[in-house]
Amino acid sequence: MADTKYIFVTGGVVSSLGKGIIAASLGKLLQARGYKVTIQKFDPYINIDPGTLNPYEHGECYVTVDGHEADLDLGHYERFLNVPTTRSNNITTGRIYQSVINKERKGDYLGKTVQVVPHITDEIKRNVKLLGSKYKFDFVITEIGGTVGDIESLPFIESVRQLKWELGKNCMCVHLTYVPYIAAAKEFKTKPTQHSVKQLQELGIQPDVLVLRTEHLLSNDITRKVALFCNVDADAVVQSVDVPTIYEVPLVLQRQNMDVTILKKMGLEVGPTPEMKPWNEFLQKKTNATETVKIGLVGKYVELQDAYKSIDESLLQAAIYNDRKLDLHLFHSEKLNENNAAELLKDMDGILIAPGFGQRGIEGKFAALKYAREHDVPCLGICLGMQCMVIEYARDVLGMTDANSTEMEPNTEYKVIDLMEEQKNVTNMGGSMRLGAYDCVLKKGSKSYEAYGKEHIQERHRHRFEFNSQYRDQFEAAGMKCVGENPETGLVEVVEIPSLKWFVGVQFHPEYNSTVVNPNPLFVSFVKAAIDNK
Ligand code: GLN
């Protein structure tokens, strides 16, 4: 394709409508037609990245292959498109300003007053176009975080206005709104949508396509009315009604020809409707599954819907590829202890110990691990979950009663988990962990080797502490084996207890690398072990 096409996805009325899912679904439909597609997210907050935000503020922090701490929507983009994203796919206001201010200090604008328009907007536009020019994508879909009308997102919206003007047919705006149903009046209300579109128009943007989020199916009368009031073609008003799984959304949009409308508007040939075979097979498997697998997730953020997003999705995908419905049970680690763990966890087919930071809830993770180990329940520990596996084993099996991570207790006698050498001089908290994809070599015959079916793997990381190899021999002699390590540094990446059915701890985050058509092998193997354990 000659020119890269740019599609912006904005949102109005309320937040949490699922702009990320709409962007990912549209991306999927265009990709299915053979186009090279990428999706980018602009976040209007001042933080350079979400790496320093806690899950209460911002849900899960996703990590890209190139080690960028990113918004969780990038996880959706990867799960839908099955293409890795990079740091260029997630830009915050903070990063835009940082870059402009650095240029100002260097003297790049010497003599000029540096202003929001044109300097900040130019930097935003440069970041949009970079994906098209540098990586040669056919379509760059850019999701603008926040809701139209927010003070914070104004420079982004202004940049969209300018780009629409500059790029003409090669640029369009998809606006997502909400159509509430007032039960007492038995009526849908389109006024919030009309107001939200008016607000965009006041900022100089005429949306080309409207997506109406709704809990109940809307009649043609409603969509036609919206088209009429909002200067949008009738076929460019699409509804996105609640569906049982986010993975059905691409099909919902496809049935309404959203991709066809967009291709026509951009002057591209339409061609036959793609079959999306692997995608549909996945959904079919999901529908066909009748038996369940019960997985217990132990973490301190379980009450938050988005805190373990990638883990939830990886488990769901793994269950479906094992022909099972996922029955996920959440256990708050602060509420688990040695007295109640057996009672609370007794029905679980498998237990997953979540990643995390800090002391809070750690004892509950030990209690769950002890229960899993003593009752031979398949167990997967991720990052802090793996470190807890090591600590619990040291305390209970190796007799090192005060064993700990120096993250929790810097003066412990047995520092079985310790700060990585390279972290010892780190003072800045932002973007300074061991981040992104690293190599790992797996020992033949281990559960993880069997899962991946190969020795050399790459997975993503986000940590400062590591297994202290000083204790390696003691652990191995007592039955906990180090079966995966980084080939350059020898850092222990995977521990297992081979005498148990499936007990695996990984320093990396396999959940960042699991997609609809390519589920992560370790999750698939864990869920299979849980099913066999039933
Ligand atoms: N807090 C631990 C570390 O920094 C684990 C991090 C995590 O679970 N992502 O090493």
Side-chain angles (χ1 to χ4, degrees), residues 181-187:
Y181 179 72
I182 310 293
K186 294 199 178 63
E187 267 182 57

Side-chain angles (χ1 to χ4, degrees), residues 247 282 285 289 293 295 310-326 352 380 514-516 518-531:
Y247 301 119
F282 170 83
K285 260 183 173 303
V293 55
I295 304 288
S310 294
I311 291 179
D312 297 348
E313 297 305 317
S314 303
L315 284 171
L316 177 79
Q317 292 156 3
I320 292 173
Y321 280 101
N322 276 296
D323 300 307
R324 289 293 189 286
K325 264 193 201 332
L326 175 66
L352 194 153
L380 172 59
S514 187
T515 72
V516 167
N518 201 8
N520 185 283
L522 200 65
F523 274 92
V524 176
S525 169
F526 165 57
V527 170
K528 179 165 187 312
I531 294 165

Side-chain angles (χ1 to χ4, degrees), residues 364-383:
K365 287 185 173 171
F366 296 142
L369 281 162
K370 186 172 159 70
Y371 166 80
R373 186 170 56 75
E374 292 183 342
H375 295 79
D376 201 357
V377 182
C379 186
L380 172 59
I382 299 180
C383 206

